[in-house]
Amino acid sequence: VTIELVDGKAGVAHISSEDKAIIHQAKFSKSDVVFDWGDAFKCSMSSPNRATIGTGCASIQGLDWHITAAESVTISNGSQGVKRNDIICAHYHRDSKTGNELVELTVLKGTPNATTAADPTIPSGKILSGAVDAYMPLWRIPLDGITVGTPVRLFTPKGALWDSVTQPWKPPYTNNSLTLCRVGRTVTVNGNVKFTGSGVQNYAMAVETIPEAFRPLADQSIIAFPSCGFSLLVMRDGKVQMLGDPKSAYSTAHGCWITAQ
């Protein structure tokens, strides 16, 4: 069957995890996503060999999963004189005989190195291509000798689809802030500033960057200051190019774009 009403009654059990993965990828993202729910998988070291992951909700390649009570994983001992990075992952596995699927936490152990620790390779299995294993990195656990460092989060929690999030942001050449507002994947930028400098900017790069949760899907998304003909070109990585002359002027500011995810 190549056409299916997934959410319709068919008289037999017919909805598969593949159906839901396809639909979730199409609606939300092909990327792994951690949602802002519960403790958002907060990680703490309950002992030098034990990491505790808090409650949370996520999607691995379109398949939803959650933790409803804190879970712990074991971190292997470090060794004197070497550094190592371990990665705590969600591990998806499908039994090739029964087709049964599960998600559990696992630790991918890095290779010790005397000078610089590197992350272990994350296996790149694609569930919809038939892979029986897939991995979603959550936290990096750095080890320096036998000392365990502070866990490093490898994801940014995403708010609910239509939740709104606002954040002040200060553009270059002013002490005033604009308001970044995100609803779903739509970001608007509004405000009024008094610039403190002047001079033509020919695609010069500003020091300021756009926060990760507000970054655009497309390079050269625009924040315009119409009163003085100055504008900012926002890149996908959050970097900001300046164009025109702020002229030490007063100006309103306007921008709008879609985020990458």
Side-chain angles (χ1 to χ4, degrees):
V1 177
T2 57
I3 300 178
E4 180 182 7
L5 182 59
V6 174
D7 290 331
K9 181 177 179 179
V12 295
H14 69 100
I15 300 174
S16 68
S17 61
E18 180 183 31
D19 292 329
K20 302 310 290 186
I22 291 171
I23 291 170
H24 289 169
Q25 284 190 12
K27 283 183 177 180
F28 306 120
S29 176
K30 291 183 180 179
S31 302
D32 296 334
V33 180
V34 173
F35 301 104
D36 188 8
W37 180 87
D39 294 327
F41 300 141
K42 179 181 178 181
C43 180
S44 60
M45 298 303 299
S46 49
S47 75
N49 297 99
R50 204 75 175 160
T52 298
I53 305 296
T55 59
C57 182
S59 177
I60 179 170
Q61 297 184 32
L63 295 178
D64 294 340
W65 63 281
H66 60 205
I67 296 176
T68 55
E71 294 274 344
S72 294
V73 293
T74 299
I75 305 299
S76 299
N77 288 330
S79 301
Q80 290 282 6
V82 295
K83 299 178 179 181
R84 192 182 87 222
N85 285 346
D86 289 357
I87 302 293
I88 299 174
C89 294
H91 173 210
Y92 161 92
H93 177 72
R94 174 172 54 84
D95 188 294
S96 59
K97 294 181 179 179
T98 65
N100 293 340
E101 300 164 292
L102 58 80
V103 168
E104 58 188 359
L105 296 178
T106 192
V107 179
L108 299 181
K109 186 176 178 180
T111 301
N113 187 282
T115 55
T116 304
D119 291 348
T121 300
I122 308 297
S124 57
K126 299 298 182 185
I127 297 169
L128 289 179
S129 296
V132 297
D133 292 286
Y135 295 82
M136 177 179 177
L138 298 173
W139 291 88
R140 175 187 298 116
I141 308 298
L143 295 97
D144 188 348
I146 60 173
T147 301
V148 179
T150 301
V152 178
R153 192 173 66 182
L154 301 178
F155 60 88
T156 300
K158 304 296 182 185
L161 185 59
W162 296 113
D163 277 358
S164 62
V165 180
T166 60
Q167 180 171 330
W169 181 73
K170 189 183 77 64
Y173 293 114
T174 180
N175 294 317
N176 305 129
S177 292
L178 306 178
T179 298
L180 305 177
C181 179
R182 174 171 175 165
V183 180
R185 290 180 57 196
T186 301
V187 170
T188 60
V189 186
N190 289 288
N192 182 60
V193 301
K194 170 64 172 73
F195 287 111
T196 58
S198 61
V200 175
Q201 307 299 320
N202 293 318
Y203 298 100
M205 195 69 71
V207 173
E208 293 82 0
T209 59
I210 296 292
E212 183 176 358
F214 298 87
R215 293 175 184 176
L217 174 64
D219 283 337
Q220 298 193 329
S221 296
I222 299 171
I223 302 174
F225 299 88
S227 300
C228 58
F230 185 57
S231 59
L232 301 176
L233 305 178
V234 182
M235 306 301 166
R236 287 173 291 178
D237 61 3
K239 293 181 180 178
V240 175
Q241 284 185 326
M242 299 176 288
L243 184 62
D245 187 347
K247 300 176 183 176
S248 297
Y250 287 95
S251 183
T252 57
H254 312 278
C256 185
W257 57 74
I258 302 298
T259 62
Q261 57 178 302

